Amino acid sequence: MPDGSTPLLLRQDSEAGITRLTLNRPDSRNSLSFAMLGALHHALSEIAQDNGPRVVVLAAAGPVFCAGHDLREIAAHRNDEDAGQGFYDAAMQRCAEVMQAIVALPQPVIAEVQGVATAAGCQLVASCDLAVASELARFCTPGVDIGLFCSTPAVALSRAIAAKPALEMLLTGEMVGAEEARRLGLVNRVVPAADLTQATDALAAHIAARSAHAVRLGKAAFHAQRALPLDQAYAHAAGVMACNLMAEDAAEGIAAFLGKRKPVWQDR
């Protein structure tokens, strides 16, 4: 576990508008301790208010992406006066807030998965907008193996992939390889381990080169319409597109397309 001087979460900002957040508890398999969840929530809150980042990459140090909640921390709170109830309520609430903050973040979030992502670690991947995985990456929700059904990971997982494969993962706890995860829709791309960072950065750069205004508007609209009945989804999306058409970047993009030139975005 990192000592007090070692950040739990590393942040790196590039001139291209790509912000990289790296889980930095490799000795603890980057487990989501209460402190790690707090660091993630704080970083996401800062990024949401920052016009610099155009795309966020969520990565992890060491061979494991994220092993889920810190079971040692959970077990230690069994000794609390309330047998841990207060801590467990607070931890699950904080975790839910982090996952929702990823979805609500104006910028797209890409998970860069280099290794195993289990339980809430799998939830973290499923909560991101996109995911690029190493061929060595594996995914599972194994809470059922220890008498703890992955109910909160199920929320993100069931929104990322179809119901039957999601429930199979939840009921069996079995590992899913990277290619199978891509087939199911949990990840977008699978690449050789040596090419993972390059492939993720290329995808991030491709998105970052688009109008930040359009991308942010589009991400919010995508998530909003998914929760609506079909007629309401179209009504919402139509309103968003009409608003988008009034933007400076839409006028510039259409003019650039018709003029066969590269657009110059103002991000508004």
Side-chain angles (χ1 to χ4, degrees), residues 20 39 67 110 119 137 158 181 213 227 247 261:
R20 178 174 286 267
I110 305 173
S158 65
H213 176 74
R261 61 175 175 81

Side-chain angles (χ1 to χ4, degrees), residues 97-108:
E97 289 170 354
V98 168
M99 303 304 167
Q100 291 176 86
I102 291 172
V103 176
L105 196 73
Q107 301 90 339

